[in-house]
């Protein structure tokens, strides 16, 4: 019996391109006909080093990463970087303080973690709800901060920056976990960018860290050695056993992105997909309601309520059940927000999005 097609709108781990899964399947038992799987290959072997080098060079090419930046493939996820960033950078200036823009769950967690290692300044008044980005004119940046930190796309709340914060010369750090390589980015404007791979560029297990070379070597003495950027950069991400298979999968996804037109082509498709869903929400006379301010609605994660502003629980349950019958999974909103959330990362196709859009229209006709 033919399996019905599943469309995965998960927030991460998320859908991978079909061609990547097929290639990984084909090479699973014997990578490149060498007789061993990447899963059992020594991380010190010449074969794995080729995988590592190729993945890094694809990353550099796709993001046009300048030569004075190091690219590392680390473990511990984005949450590991909530600690690694302050441990490595808060000591850049003697005041040991840093500025954080807090626009959602993930930047909130990052700011709280940084507070263990120095003074954290939240640059704007606390938000009542995570549905907007405070106007930069209202920010109070500290000129003696070691760095300014923001989360470029808040996965839980569906809030995305469409501008780069101005820091007046202070090092800019960004968590790009959920919109990494979904659009072009000028790496040279950042001191550090990090991203978990499991949304747009691969599977869980590997976190990309891109850091400017002059920021290495300033780690606090209490920084664990596996989180020390200087050590990891000097060892080419091989200080300890890296997440080999996750790096290999990421290499395949980067190749897929390159073959499909790179970051600029991803941006075009992501705008097209998210517009399709937002257009239905906007034209639904309040049947679907996205709480996020129109100026910062995410192209990656589209959260909405069904039936009324605060959501009709029975209708939302029915919506999820109906979607599931049509093979659409992982549309349930984050446990902290409820409602529905459609994540439209790079591997989610226009056809996948059209299937969701037509179900939304059908469901609305039936219940409005």
């Amino acid at each position: 019996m033919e399996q019905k097609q599943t469309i995965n709108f998960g927030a991460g781990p998320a859908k991978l391109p079909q061609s990547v899964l097929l290639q990984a399947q084909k090479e699973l038992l014997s990578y490149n006909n060498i007789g061993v799987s990447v899963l059992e290959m020594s991380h010190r072997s010449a074969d794995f080093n080729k995988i590592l080098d190729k993945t890094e060079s694809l990353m550099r090419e796709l993001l046009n990463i300048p030569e004075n930046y190091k690219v590392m493939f680390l473990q511990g996820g984005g949450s590991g970087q909530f600690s690694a960033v302050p441990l490595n950078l808060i000591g850049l200036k003697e005041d040991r303080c840093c500025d954080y823009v807090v626009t959602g769950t993930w930047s909130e967690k990052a700011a709280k973690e940084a507070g263990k290692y120095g003074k954290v300044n939240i640059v704007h008044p606390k938000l009542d709800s995570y549905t907007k980005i405070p106007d930069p004119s209202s920010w109070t940046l500290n000129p003696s901060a070691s760095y300014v930190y923001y989360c470029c796309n808040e996965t839980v709340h569906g809030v995305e920056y469409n501008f780069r914060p101005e820091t007046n010369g202070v090092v800019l750090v960004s968590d790009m976990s959920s919109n990494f390589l979904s659009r072009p980015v000028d790496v040279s404007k950042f001191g550090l960018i990090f991203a978990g791979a499991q949304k747009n560029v691969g599977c869980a297990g590997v976190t990309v860290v891109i850091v400017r070379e002059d920021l290495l070597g300033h780690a606090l003495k209490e920084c664990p050695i596996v989180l020390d950027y200087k050590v990891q950069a000097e060892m080419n991400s091989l200080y300890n056993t890296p997440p080999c298979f996750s790096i290999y999968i990421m290499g395949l996804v980067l190749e897929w992105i390159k073959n499909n037109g790179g970051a600029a082509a991803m941006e075009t498709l992501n705008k097209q997909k998210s517009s399709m869903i937002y257009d239905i929400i906007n034209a639904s006379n309040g049947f679907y309601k996205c709480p996020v301010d129109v100026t910062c609605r995410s192209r990656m994660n589209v959260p909405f309520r069904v039936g009324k502003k605060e959501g009709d629980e029975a209708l939302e349950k029915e919506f999820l059940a109906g979607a599931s019958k049509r093979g659409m999974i992982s549309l349930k909103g984050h446990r902290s927000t409820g409602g529905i959330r459609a994540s439209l990362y790079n591997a989610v196709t226009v056809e996948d999005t059209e299937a969701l859009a037509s179900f939304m229209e059908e469901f609305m006709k039936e219940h409005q």
Side-chain angles (χ1 to χ4, degrees), residues 14 44 60 74 130 146 151 174 179 244 263 286-287 291 303 305 319:
R44 306 275 178 213
R60 286 187 175 277
L74 306 181
Y130 292 134
S146 292
C151 175
S174 186
N179 64 358
C244 301
F287 182 75
R305 303 305 302 241
F319 181 93

Side-chain angles (χ1 to χ4, degrees), residues 86-302:
L87 282 163
N88 281 275
L89 303 184
I90 208 164
L92 284 169
K93 294 182 185 169
E94 58 189 37
D95 286 1
R96 260 172 84 153
C97 61
C98 48
D99 283 348
Y100 275 68
V101 191
V102 175
T103 50
T105 298
W106 298 112
S107 47
E108 184 187 316
K109 286 188 173 184
K112 188 180 177 194
E113 181 63 18
K116 293 177 182 175
Y117 310 109
K119 186 177 181 310
V120 174
N121 168 43
I122 311 292
V123 303
H124 52 85
K126 192 171 171 17
L127 298 174
D128 305 331
S129 63
Y130 292 134
T131 53
K132 61 177 189 290
I133 294 169
D135 190 314
S137 65
S138 71
W139 299 2
T140 314
L141 295 171
N142 177 359
S144 63
S146 292
Y147 62 88
V148 176
Y149 178 109
Y150 77 109
C151 175
C152 199
N153 183 72
E154 290 280 2
T155 324
V156 172
H157 294 91
V159 172
E160 184 174 28
Y161 285 72
N162 53 25
F163 65 93
R164 187 179 59 249
E166 177 49 64
T167 64
N168 308 317
V170 174
V171 170
L172 182 61
V173 173
S174 186
D175 171 2
M176 293 191 182
S177 289
S178 52
N179 64 358
F180 189 63
L181 268 169
S182 69
R183 61 183 183 192
V185 62
D186 183 350
V187 173
S188 72
K189 301 287 193 251
F190 295 83
L192 184 144
I193 291 167
F194 71 85
Q198 69 276 12
K199 299 172 194 292
N200 279 304
V201 291
C203 63
V206 63
T207 305
V208 183
V209 177
I210 302 168
V211 61
R212 210 171 61 218
E213 282 175 351
D214 62 294
L215 302 177
L216 301 172
H218 301 277
L220 303 181
K221 69 177 187 312
E222 59 266 41
C223 179
I225 196 161
V226 291
L227 295 181
D228 188 325
Y229 296 147
K230 186 172 190 281
V231 170
Q232 290 285 11
E234 283 172 354
M235 299 295 292
N236 193 27
S237 306
L238 293 169
Y239 169 74
N240 63 329
T241 309
C244 301
F245 196 74
S246 299
I247 292 169
Y248 156 72
I249 293 288
M250 183 162 64
L252 297 183
V253 176
L254 295 178
E255 212 162 354
W256 173 84
I257 291 174
K258 181 184 171 177
N259 293 340
N260 283 279
M266 295 297 119
E267 178 174 44
T268 303
L269 285 169
N270 289 325
K271 278 182 176 164
Q272 186 188 346
K273 292 181 301 189
S274 56
S275 295
M276 219 184 280
I277 305 302
Y278 284 124
D279 287 351
I280 291 170
I281 293 169
N282 296 342
S284 72
N285 284 323
F287 182 75
Y288 295 119
K289 194 86 183 136
C290 173
V292 182
D293 203 84
V294 176
T295 55
C296 56
R297 285 183 173 176
S298 171
R299 299 156 308 124
M300 298 284 99
N301 313 98
V302 181

Side-chain angles (χ1 to χ4, degrees), residues 7-15 277 300-301 327-332 341-345 348-349 351-357:
I7 305 175
N8 182 1
F9 290 105
K15 181 174 177 174
I277 305 302
M300 298 284 99
N301 313 98
M328 294 181 243
I329 64 162
S330 300
L331 280 163
K332 195 174 185 196
R341 173 178 54 169
S343 296
L344 308 173
Y345 300 128
V348 174
T349 63
E351 294 72 35
D352 292 343
T353 315
E354 279 168 346
L356 174 60

Side-chain angles (χ1 to χ4, degrees), residues 22-35:
L22 290 169
Q23 190 172 343
Q25 180 188 44
K26 185 171 144 234
E27 297 177 336
L28 185 65
L29 299 183
S30 175
Y31 172 75
N32 228 358
N33 297 318
I34 60 167

Side-chain angles (χ1 to χ4, degrees), residues 48-56 73 236-238 247:
F48 183 70
N49 265 285
K50 280 183 199 150
I51 291 172
L52 196 59
D53 291 347
K54 188 180 178 191
T55 304
E56 181 180 335
F73 303 124
N236 193 27
S237 306
L238 293 169
I247 292 169

